[in-house]
Amino acid sequence: MDQTQITLTILGMAVVTFLPRLLPIKALSARSLPPVLAGWLKHMPIAVLAAMLVPTLLAPEGDLAVNLSNLYLWASIPAWLVARRTHSFVAAVLVGIAVVAIARRLL
Amino acid sequence: MNPSSPRAAWRTGALQALPIAAGYLPIAFTYGVLAQGAGLSTLNTLLMSLLVYAGASQFVAVGLLASGASPLSIVLSTLIVNLRHMLMSATLAPALKGWRWRQQGAFAFELTDETFAVHAMKVSTGALNPAESLALNLSAQAAWIAGTALGVLAGQVVGDLRALGLDFALPALFIALLALQIKGGRQFAVAIFSGGLAVALQRAGWGHWHVIGAALAGATLGSLLERWTKRRSP
């Protein structure tokens, strides 16, 4: 594929990426949602977050690693505690990064 | 400074994008290196980070381009990988009520897994402020583009980026946002169920559908649990 074709492919990718991001906002932001749908969407953030997070935590390198040498699992504990204690996700992320960096240096 | 002034809103948004930026830089860097290796011009490499701006699908596209796949199959794969954003867009839609048309468009253009996660957490404590939200999104994409450019410039993976621990930035972000939103047993159950199901579906070969499947099932479990507890204690 030459660079022009690649550019056109990228434009196509941009369209099919943008529309799923845009259409639900356009369709749903102007009206009040039926209670059933609103109640269902209320649970979506936690459900989506967990669905994206847990596979990464349990298999940081791609293979399931539910064991004590899984650094991501260990580092989750301080990240969780700092978020709960400080209510700051920025602080929790910085602590999480630091724990992983220090552990890699020491281990 | 007036806390509701535009400048304060921009500063807050940029600050909240910090953990996202920390996670994006090394990933976008890797993308930049791989895209060059796959034969994309510098312009096209940057263009994808500018116009598509969706991490997983950019890596998939680079892999497909390197293997000589057709444009149509690349666009279709992109669609499938990014369909999960519909759920996120729908979830945030009520919080964007009253925004200008263009503001909604700009917001949607930069809606990623990570910006969604932060916005959703903020929705749980009130409506979204346009300036603050757009500043967060712009800062996050700026980091994505900067990381891409650095990867292009470096041309190869330099040193051991893992020593910096930045690969844990985005997992840590999701952990923290879960920690801030889980207030009780029902929400904890939804998180455990969705997370476990996502792992199971991924292992079962659901490919890029495992997040959508697990999220749909998890939200359904959450609303069922809520209805049952309400019925039991009217």
Side-chain angles (χ1 to χ4, degrees):
Chain A
M1 220 187 283
D2 65 28
Q3 295 302 328
T4 313
Q5 280 178 301
I6 295 179
T7 304
L8 292 174
T9 307
I10 290 172
L11 292 178
M13 292 173 64
V15 171
V16 299
T17 302
F18 184 43
L19 289 181
R21 289 172 170 174
L22 178 72
L23 294 181
I25 286 177
K26 289 297 177 195
L28 302 177
S29 65
R31 63 192 72 176
S32 48
L33 302 180
V36 175
L37 181 59
W40 186 72
L41 284 178
K42 198 180 69 185
H43 295 96
M44 196 55 79
I46 288 176
V48 173
L49 272 179
M52 294 191 295
L53 169 69
V54 176
T56 310
L57 279 191
L58 296 189
E61 315 288 342
D63 295 320
L64 273 187
V66 188
N67 53 49
L68 294 180
S69 60
N70 182 338
L71 185 53
Y72 276 16
L73 283 181
W74 285 110
S76 301
I77 300 169
W80 176 280
L81 293 177
V82 169
R84 286 284 208 183
R85 184 66 56 90
T86 66
H87 299 282
S88 160
F89 64 89
V90 179
V93 170
L94 295 179
V95 167
I97 292 171
V99 167
V100 168
I102 292 168
R104 286 203 178 124
R105 192 142 304 176
L106 298 180
L107 299 177
Chain B
M1 194 190 293
N2 176 357
S4 62
S5 75
R7 193 189 290 184
W10 275 84
R11 210 180 37 191
T12 307
L15 175 70
Q16 291 177 337
L18 200 64
I20 301 179
Y24 276 3
L25 276 170
I27 300 174
F29 183 95
T30 309
Y31 157 75
V33 172
L34 291 177
Q36 295 277 286
L40 274 77
S41 67
T42 298
L43 193 65
N44 275 333
T45 302
L46 289 168
L47 196 67
M48 204 193 289
S49 284
L50 183 71
L51 295 183
V52 181
Y53 180 41
S57 64
Q58 288 186 224
F59 282 97
V60 171
V62 164
L64 287 173
L65 279 167
S67 71
S70 73
L72 183 66
S73 68
I74 294 172
V75 171
L76 279 179
S77 306
T78 305
L79 175 66
I80 291 168
V81 173
N82 290 333
L83 266 184
R84 67 183 185 287
H85 291 134
M86 288 193 84
L87 289 179
M88 306 180 188
S89 176
T91 303
L92 294 180
L96 270 59
K97 203 177 204 168
W99 284 37
R100 288 165 202 269
W101 207 91
R102 269 185 313 182
Q103 289 175 327
Q104 289 186 342
F107 181 90
F109 188 81
E110 292 180 311
L111 181 61
T112 63
D113 296 349
E114 292 75 21
T115 56
F116 162 78
V118 175
H119 292 310
M121 189 271 297
K122 291 163 75 179
V123 167
S124 65
T125 57
L128 288 180
N129 171 295
E132 196 177 300
S133 310
L134 293 172
L136 193 159
N137 284 0
L138 269 179
S139 308
Q141 189 173 11
W144 185 255
I145 293 171
T148 306
L150 289 173
V152 169
L153 284 176
Q156 57 187 12
V157 177
V158 281
D160 189 8
L161 282 173
R162 289 166 53 86
L164 300 174
L166 292 178
D167 55 303
F168 190 62
L170 299 181
L173 175 68
F174 288 177
I175 291 163
L177 294 172
L178 276 175
L180 293 177
Q181 288 179 82
I182 292 178
K183 300 258 158 59
R186 187 198 313 139
Q187 287 154 327
F188 195 68
V190 170
I192 296 290
F193 176 74
S194 305
L197 186 60
V199 172
L201 294 178
Q202 194 184 38
R203 301 288 132 187
W206 273 44
H208 290 285
W209 297 98
H210 71 281
V211 170
I212 296 180
L216 289 175
T220 306
L221 175 75
S223 42
L224 287 179
L225 287 177
E226 189 168 21
R227 206 170 305 171
W228 286 334
T229 40
K230 264 187 198 149
R231 202 172 294 167
R232 221 178 299 161
S233 53

